[in-house]
Amino acid sequence: MRFLFAILSGCCLSFALLPASAQVDVWTYHYDNARDGANTNESILNLTNVSSATFGKLFTVPVDGSVYAAPLYMPNLTVGGQTHNVVFIATENNTVYAYDANSAGASGGLLWKTNLGPAAVTTTGTFTNKNFGTRYNGNAYTDIMPQVGITGTPVIDTSSGTLYVDAFTGVVGGGKTNYFHTLHALDITTGQEQPYSPVVISAKVTGTGVDSSGGFVTFNAIQQNERPALTLAGGIVYVSFAGYADTDPYHGWIIGYNETNLALLTNYVFNTCPNASVAVFGTDAGEGGIWMSGGGLGVDSQTNLYLELANGSFSATNGSSGVDYGDCFLKISTTNGLKVVDYFAPWQQLTWQNNDTDLGSGGLVLLPDQAGKYAHELLGSGKAGEIFVINRDQFTTNNAHFNATPHDDYVAQTNISQIGASFDTPVCFNGRIYYAASGDYLKAIQVTNGSLNDKTIVTNKNRTYSFPGSTPIVSANGTNSAIVWTLQVASALGNPATLIACNATNVATDLYTSVTIPNRDQLVGGSVKFAAPTEADGQVFVGSSNSFSVFGLLAGTYSFSSPAYSILENNTNATITVNRIGGTNGAAQVSYATVAGGTAGSGTSYTSVSGVLNWTSGDSAPKTFTIPIMSDGLAEPNPTINLALSNPTNLASALGLQSTAVLTIIKPPISSWKLNYFGANANNPAIAGDSADPENDGIVNLLAYAYAFNPLTVNTNPFSGELAGQGFQLQFLRNTTASDLTYIVQSSFDLYDWSNLLTFTAPGGWITNMPGSVVSESPTNGTPPNQNVTVTVTVSTNTAATTNQYLRLEVQP
């Protein structure tokens, strides 16, 4: 028998890893019904690329009214047969817009718009509408000008693709009875009304208080402002109300509608002060509005509703059976109707009522489960700036809902004078509460075991937030790359607000403001009170008067698809992928190159490359380049090639977090085998060459490798055979770690023409090339690099054809 050895080339292996990106639906105010204000699925924006050099305003589009409602967002929505990331904007002119969030402007970005009826004119030029909101300012309603239409943030049912929104309509000259609140259900792909939509909001409850008649208090649209965000929970759309500029009589209302057909659910109607009479409470009887500066009702896993009320009559002292809840926190059960199951009134309730110091000027947040005394808590504040932490399972100790004793409230915690007046909904994120109260700084307060830690307040003193402060939001990738976003309202009427980004871990650190490069990033239109930004999928949406703007990574960031690539060393090309992440506004390019620092030799292990990758405007598809790889035949550790991106094309372009990468050339296993045995002589052909025989035992190195032998000791060739009945058995050893070798058993009858009987490769195992041959392997013996199996091949002899049959083993690298 003889042995033939040949080196054959094989195929290459290359791969690219794309980054994970979890898109987020912003279907309700402050992201969810806990109202925590945190988007923790943000994989594009981070603490590095949110800066004036890399982040800014993508575009602004005009709209037909002020944007008081927070923008909502739905990714991957099919509109008109095409897929879009869609942002929804609602205006005080009663128009709802759907825009492509990635469009560079109004001409290509508007997907649909729907007007829901004439908005109620308030004050414009020399005209003053004195039909509603006339308590202050010379009987002029100046809180929302020049018209009131959609004020509360809509809500989207993502399963049915329906947007629910309240529109206030009215015609000047039509009298006070010609004003309506209507609830609309719009198809989010077309803007068209659902077949059962709209319905005029109407309701009544039993009550004997101000504006009651016949034992009922009836909803009066012209007196009620739908300021809170709509809430969707348990198949019910809840619409909540306060008043216009405290103009009596008004009440706080919650009115529930079946989401599938907008049928009024009469047992899901709640009035905050139904029995408050003028005889008992004076001319300000009733009230108790639900506005929370635009915040939404909190909802827990049992669909209980949580809210805080503004100034109003309070008769629910302990044991009184009163049902008037001015300046209270409420918990309302939704089981078989709306019912107050718990409440809390601060000891200052009467003082706050008399001085217009609303408790319910701010929104509340439901905290995630806590490890302290109370697992389930909520947190909220008001005009007094006193933060209340309340046990949701039982608001007050011994159910003492109200304590008239000064300075003593039976709740989990009160936190006095740590923030200014709250006209915002705070953010709860990663064990911290964030407030940007009126007349105060942005503050982060640690929450430890369900309690606020006054000694851990971190403050950003770069600016004071004038009235009404700001409702913050947080974007983060899990708990990483966390950013707090706020809007600083301009002190002068009509001037634009400022978008601000701060490091959420240390809010004292500014990352970005929209006034750093004003000609590029300044918002268009005047500030809007209580406006909250929305952040999703690398973009921030901001409403103003008569416009909304989209901020993001202006021309995108450029990152390798993986920090590490690998390829087999066998004369082929490594394919490297580069991603454009974030904004796609405008043509863009980035340079790539192999750079110094790796262990591979340029010109021997690979060919150095450099070049430019190009994207057109709107193009976010990955781009690739290739690196030629060579086989240098050297035994060495796996060499590496360093890769780098550089020179993004314009000021708003940026390198991403993965602007460098390493390509590893995977050497064949024989390289490690030679290094193990020959060390410094591994590349000396006289000693370590495939055909060298350093021990002169007749077994060359390549065959020693194939057998899993130590080439530095004298070995006996294990290739043997014997007759076995009418067949012949052949045995030899196979190195189980030699995945770069091919073993071929061949047969001949004349020593000239050889046929393959069996072939072994690492990927495929043993394959029978001709019938009549059977192969088996023993259990594994030894340990690497001497790990092997005994191969037994049984061949049926062909004595009819010839008296001689020859077998041999061929090994190919």
Side-chain angles (χ1 to χ4, degrees):
M1 298 296 175
R2 66 189 180 96
F3 311 96
L4 302 181
F5 308 100
I7 298 176
L8 302 179
S9 63
C11 63
C12 72
L13 173 66
S14 66
F15 61 91
L17 300 177
L18 295 177
S21 178
Q23 291 187 294
V24 60
D25 299 332
V26 186
W27 58 275
T28 191
Y29 181 88
H30 241 211
Y31 294 102
D32 55 34
N33 277 344
R35 312 301 179 186
D36 57 35
N39 170 20
T40 58
N41 292 302
E42 179 50 57
S43 60
I44 297 173
L45 299 183
N46 55 59
L47 300 177
T48 301
N49 60 28
V50 175
S51 70
S52 292
T54 61
F55 176 91
K57 187 172 67 176
L58 296 177
F59 58 90
T60 295
V61 295
V63 292
D64 63 5
S66 292
V67 181
Y68 277 67
L72 301 178
Y73 173 81
M74 290 288 294
N76 299 321
L77 187 64
T78 301
V79 180
Q82 295 184 328
T83 300
H84 301 268
N85 295 331
V86 182
V87 58
F88 299 92
I89 305 295
T91 74
E92 292 290 354
N93 195 45
N94 278 335
T95 301
V96 180
Y97 295 83
Y99 271 95
D100 186 313
N102 306 113
S103 167
S107 59
L110 180 62
L111 302 174
W112 57 257
K113 69 175 182 178
T114 300
N115 185 266
L116 304 179
V121 176
T122 54
T123 301
T124 175
T126 59
F127 173 78
T128 300
N129 184 353
K130 296 187 177 182
N131 284 332
F132 66 95
T134 57
R135 181 166 181 169
Y136 308 114
N137 300 315
N139 305 125
Y141 181 62
T142 59
D143 286 349
I144 304 175
M145 299 187 297
Q147 58 199 350
V148 178
I150 299 171
T151 307
T153 300
V155 67
I156 295 173
D157 178 8
T158 58
S159 61
S160 67
T162 303
L163 181 147
Y164 302 93
V165 60
D166 172 89
F168 184 55
T169 58
V171 179
V172 175
K176 292 191 174 184
T177 60
N178 201 31
Y179 289 83
F180 304 95
H181 282 280
T182 52
L183 179 60
H184 299 259
L186 306 181
D187 184 324
I188 60 175
T189 64
T190 64
Q192 299 300 306
E193 301 272 5
Q194 299 286 21
Y196 47 83
S197 173
V199 296
V200 176
I201 291 179
S202 62
K204 64 180 180 179
V205 296
T206 56
T208 58
V210 62
D211 75 343
S212 65
S213 176
F216 293 95
V217 178
T218 302
F219 179 82
N220 184 4
I222 198 171
Q223 296 298 108
Q224 304 293 158
N225 180 11
E226 201 288 298
R227 186 62 190 95
L230 274 68
T231 299
L232 178 62
I236 300 174
V237 180
Y238 294 101
V239 193
S240 307
F241 296 88
Y244 288 108
D246 294 336
T247 302
D248 292 311
Y250 71 93
H251 303 269
W253 288 88
I254 302 176
I255 304 174
Y257 289 85
N258 186 316
E259 70 163 316
T260 62
N261 56 16
L262 293 191
L264 174 65
L265 303 174
T266 55
N267 57 334
Y268 285 85
V269 177
F270 175 74
N271 186 294
T272 60
C273 299
N275 290 343
S277 65
V278 173
V280 176
F281 291 101
T283 57
D284 293 340
E287 303 187 349
I290 307 168
W291 65 296
M292 298 187 293
S293 296
L297 306 179
V299 185
D300 66 15
S301 58
Q302 286 76 47
T303 66
N304 295 304
L305 307 180
Y306 298 86
L307 60 151
E308 50 183 306
L309 304 182
N311 293 341
S313 304
F314 177 71
S315 65
T317 54
N318 298 327
S320 66
S321 299
V323 291
D324 304 306
Y325 297 100
D327 286 306
C328 283
F329 284 91
L330 297 184
K331 177 179 180 179
I332 299 178
S333 170
T334 62
T335 303
N336 299 320
L338 299 183
K339 178 183 179 182
V340 175
V341 292
D342 210 345
Y343 65 97
F344 160 66
W347 66 266
Q348 308 99 313
Q349 189 280 327
L350 182 60
T351 300
W352 288 357
Q353 176 184 337
N354 292 335
N355 292 282
D356 191 28
T357 311
D358 297 302
L359 172 65
S361 65
L364 54 77
V365 60
L366 306 187
L367 302 184
D369 287 359
Q370 300 294 308
K373 183 177 180 180
Y374 305 117
H376 309 124
E377 293 180 329
L378 65 82
L379 179 148
S381 185
K383 285 185 182 179
E386 183 170 348
I387 305 173
F388 296 93
V389 182
I390 299 172
N391 174 19
R392 300 201 312 262
D393 296 326
Q394 182 177 306
F395 276 15
T396 52
T397 304
N398 298 323
N399 282 321
H401 304 286
F402 170 70
N403 180 24
T405 303
H407 310 296
D408 200 0
D409 289 317
Y410 301 136
V411 294
Q413 185 184 16
T414 58
N415 190 289
I416 302 171
S417 301
Q418 297 297 342
I419 62 170
S422 172
F423 295 91
D424 62 341
T425 299
V427 170
C428 175
F429 168 75
N430 197 26
R432 296 182 182 90
I433 296 295
Y434 299 84
Y435 269 105
S438 178
D440 200 358
Y441 307 114
L442 172 64
K443 293 179 177 178
I445 308 173
Q446 190 75 34
V447 180
T448 304
N449 293 331
S451 295
L452 297 179
N453 189 335
D454 295 349
K455 300 185 184 302
T456 62
I457 297 177
V458 180
T459 302
N460 183 315
K461 295 187 177 181
N462 293 330
R463 66 195 55 82
T464 299
Y465 291 82
S466 57
F467 174 80
S470 178
T471 289
I473 59 171
V474 163
S475 65
N477 189 354
T479 58
N480 300 316
S481 300
I483 300 170
V484 183
W485 302 89
T486 58
L487 282 175
Q488 185 183 30
V489 173
S491 56
L493 185 66
N495 286 350
T498 301
L499 177 66
I500 300 160
C502 299
N503 186 332
T505 303
N506 179 10
V507 297
T509 304
D510 281 353
L511 302 174
Y512 167 86
T513 75
S514 59
V515 295
T516 301
I517 307 178
N519 61 332
R520 187 191 72 187
D521 292 349
Q522 182 169 292
L523 286 159
V524 178
S527 304
V528 175
K529 287 191 304 182
F530 316 130
T534 297
E535 192 284 334
D537 292 345
Q539 294 179 298
V540 182
F541 309 106
V542 181
S544 302
S545 62
N546 299 101
S547 72
F548 91 95
S549 299
V550 179
F551 290 75
L553 302 175
L554 296 186
T557 62
Y558 312 104
S559 292
F560 288 110
S561 61
S562 173
Y565 303 86
S566 63
I567 186 168
L568 296 179
E569 181 197 55
N570 45 17
N571 288 306
T572 186
N573 291 330
T575 300
I576 307 299
T577 301
V578 178
N579 293 322
R580 184 185 190 184
I581 302 172
T584 59
N585 184 24
Q589 62 180 210
V590 67
S591 299
Y592 66 85
T594 53
V595 296
T599 60
S602 176
T604 56
S605 294
Y606 72 100
T607 301
S608 296
V609 299
S610 63
V612 174
L613 299 175
N614 292 279
W615 287 263
T616 59
S617 182
D619 179 12
S620 62
K623 309 299 180 186
T624 62
F625 65 92
T626 58
I627 303 171
I629 304 299
M630 308 173 189
S631 292
D632 57 16
L634 296 178
E636 60 182 345
N638 292 335
T640 59
I641 306 169
N642 285 358
L643 314 175
L645 300 175
S646 63
N647 301 321
T649 49
N650 56 55
L651 180 64
S653 296
L655 299 178
L657 292 178
Q658 200 60 59
S659 61
T660 61
V662 176
L663 170 64
T664 300
I665 302 174
I666 306 299
K667 303 289 285 189
I670 195 172
S671 177
S672 297
W673 184 83
K674 288 184 177 182
L675 287 172
N676 179 74
Y677 287 111
F678 300 116
N681 290 315
N683 293 299
N684 184 338
I687 298 175
D690 288 352
S691 58
D693 184 3
E695 293 300 316
N696 295 311
D697 58 1
I699 301 176
V700 298
N701 287 333
L702 184 59
L703 194 55
Y705 172 58
Y707 290 151
F709 283 170
N710 180 346
L712 301 179
T713 62
V714 175
N715 296 288
T716 300
N717 198 323
F719 192 85
S720 63
E722 62 181 358
L723 290 173
Q726 294 299 312
F728 188 83
Q729 276 193 342
L730 178 70
Q731 287 191 331
F732 57 90
L733 300 179
R734 182 179 66 81
N735 186 345
T736 59
T737 61
S739 59
D740 50 342
L741 292 185
T742 298
Y743 296 75
I744 305 173
V745 178
Q746 296 180 322
S747 172
S748 175
F749 297 103
D750 57 10
L751 293 178
Y752 291 100
D753 297 319
W754 292 89
S755 301
N756 293 346
L757 297 180
L758 297 158
T759 303
F760 176 90
T761 60
W766 284 104
I767 296 174
T768 301
N769 304 119
M770 295 179 63
S773 301
V774 178
V775 64
S776 63
E777 292 189 340
S778 70
T780 301
N781 302 301
T783 59
N786 300 113
Q787 183 172 285
N788 62 75
V789 293
T790 299
V791 180
T792 300
V793 176
T794 302
V795 180
S796 298
T797 59
N798 188 357
T799 57
T802 180
T803 58
N804 297 312
Q805 183 175 5
Y806 306 94
L807 300 178
R808 72 180 180 184
L809 174 66
E810 180 174 306
V811 178
Q812 300 176 359

